[in-house]
Amino acid sequence: MDIEKIADFWIAQIVGIGPVGKQILLEIFGDIVSLFLSSQKEVETRIRKYRFGFIMKSGDKQISIRDYMGYNIEEKSKRRRYNIPHSVMEKLAEPSGRTKIHGEYERVNKKDVRFITKKDKEYPQKLLNLKNAPEQLFVLGRLPDPDQKAIGIVGARECTPYGRDMARLFGYRLAQAGMAVISGMAKGVDGWSHRGALEAGGDTFAILGCGVEVIYPRCNEKIYNDLKQRGGLISEYPSDYGAMSANFPMRNRIISGLSDGLLLVEARQRSGSLITVDAALEQGKDVFVIPGRIGDELSVGCNRLIRQGAIPVISPDDILEYYNIRPRNESDNLPGLSPEESSILEMIHETPISLATLAASAQGTYANTLRIVTRLKKNRYIRESSRDHFIRM
């Protein structure tokens, strides 16, 4: 068994060590394997010496605390103090963590969870370009194809029926056209975008704020199980790590990082989804927004972004055209539909169309059109937006 892989896996189980913390440990111990093989006393001694005896600074040497106290305030402000929390130090020094880690590594492998670090070839290149790239990824299922265009879709958890329908529609149509749909599997817009992509038979991936063995929220259990087979569940947290509110803003940078563009469906003025938008803008990604009705609380964040220069979209075709991707015909991706059913389905889009118009356009009887529409509705290809008017799911 590769000792370097085990050492990386061990330190990945200690929550609270980010890129900065790991860099400190490398400076103290030289490499993670040396840290892993150090005794409890050696770990405690070397970290305490660092925590209480030295300050990091630019240059080749370190400055002791005694010398540092002699600097004026302006000079002190140029030197940032980095500390390893005491709770983390205890976990790093604890001998039982090392003895149990081989068993945990084997358990995770049996669950088909892959542990990937920056040193591995399959670590996504898109994430390596981030200044705060996750040190490791736990993956259940697949990673996105690096050669495939990907769209991140985010929005309100307590979305409106309009937001639900738009998330599902865009997830469906973009996945059907060959784009990977990336979201966070949260309640609301996230979940509906995954549903749409799965219904289209496309590729979709969830970036979690918990471990990949944890189903959160429970209302998306079916999506979770489908993603294991037909997409992927990805997290930077240990595979059995529970959901915590502080983790979700952090995972947003991975959603935008793996995406070529980000679509915002619904958002309040102060919305967690806007954190993902900020990350996307900082990463130089395209930001698309579905406009909302003026005055609606869940439209404020979207409409303000449009005013600030985000790209407004009123159809999935707008995004496909932006990336020069040709939309596929419905019949290309929906096996089992008769020619009559495919013909009717291709007439129904995001704008409501009446049953009478469908019957006239299909040049068939009203009763036959009603029979086809009823079957499409039952199979959840379309839904009734108002009496005898239908839109695409």
Side-chain angles (χ1 to χ4, degrees), residues 95-352:
S96 62
R98 291 168 169 77
T99 57
K100 295 177 181 177
I101 200 63
H102 289 81
E104 176 62 12
Y105 187 77
E106 290 179 1
R107 185 194 72 81
V108 167
N109 278 332
K110 288 179 181 178
K111 292 278 188 177
D112 294 324
V113 176
R114 284 180 293 148
F115 173 66
I116 301 169
T117 70
K118 290 180 178 178
K119 291 172 279 190
D120 295 316
K121 291 181 180 179
E122 59 181 323
Y123 188 95
Q125 184 64 42
K126 288 179 179 178
L127 294 184
L128 283 176
N129 296 332
L130 304 185
K131 67 178 182 181
N132 57 346
E135 292 296 310
Q136 68 280 320
L137 296 173
F138 293 85
V139 181
L140 186 55
R142 294 185 287 118
L143 282 167
D145 184 339
D147 297 324
Q148 183 181 23
K149 282 290 183 184
I151 186 77
I153 302 181
V154 297
R157 283 178 169 80
E158 301 299 330
C159 61
T160 66
Y162 170 76
R164 174 198 65 198
D165 292 343
M166 289 299 101
R168 191 175 190 176
L169 170 68
F170 275 74
Y172 185 100
R173 296 279 298 281
L174 296 176
Q176 182 197 45
M179 295 189 77
V181 172
I182 298 175
S183 196
M185 211 182 81
K187 179 184 175 184
V189 165
D190 287 22
W192 285 106
S193 65
H194 288 306
R195 276 191 184 94
L198 289 167
E199 288 166 353
D203 297 328
T204 182
F205 303 87
I207 314 303
L208 306 180
C210 56
V212 295
E213 293 183 70
V214 178
I215 303 174
Y216 182 86
R218 295 299 305 189
C219 64
N220 284 338
E221 183 173 0
K222 186 177 186 310
I223 294 174
Y224 174 91
N225 290 327
D226 287 342
L227 284 171
K228 287 195 296 184
Q229 304 299 324
R230 297 165 54 190
L233 298 145
I234 303 165
S235 175
E236 63 181 314
Y237 300 106
S239 62
D240 59 352
Y241 189 66
M244 294 181 63
S245 57
N247 298 343
F248 292 94
M250 286 297 293
R251 63 93 189 262
N252 292 345
R253 79 193 193 283
I254 304 177
I255 295 177
S256 56
L258 287 173
S259 305
D260 295 285
L262 185 76
L263 172 65
L264 182 64
V265 178
E266 282 187 326
R268 292 181 171 86
Q269 182 175 353
R270 297 181 182 276
S271 167
S273 301
L274 298 179
I275 298 174
T276 318
V277 172
D278 289 340
L281 291 171
E282 185 177 341
Q283 295 163 5
K285 304 300 175 73
D286 306 309
V287 175
F288 305 96
V289 179
I290 296 177
R293 188 167 64 180
I294 295 173
D296 282 359
E297 184 181 0
L298 285 170
S299 298
V300 176
C302 294
N303 293 339
R304 287 193 173 182
L305 276 174
I306 292 173
R307 188 175 65 183
Q308 293 167 6
I311 305 168
V313 292
I314 58 174
S315 165
D317 291 342
D318 293 338
I319 296 177
L320 296 177
E321 183 179 347
Y322 185 90
Y323 290 116
N324 197 28
I325 298 174
R326 185 182 68 84
R328 295 176 184 168
N329 293 326
E330 286 295 327
S331 55
D332 291 342
N333 210 45
L334 297 174
L337 292 182
S338 68
E340 281 184 310
E341 290 169 334
S342 296
S343 177
I344 293 291
L345 185 57
E346 288 175 3
M347 298 179 197
I348 303 172
H349 302 287
E350 53 268 25
T351 303

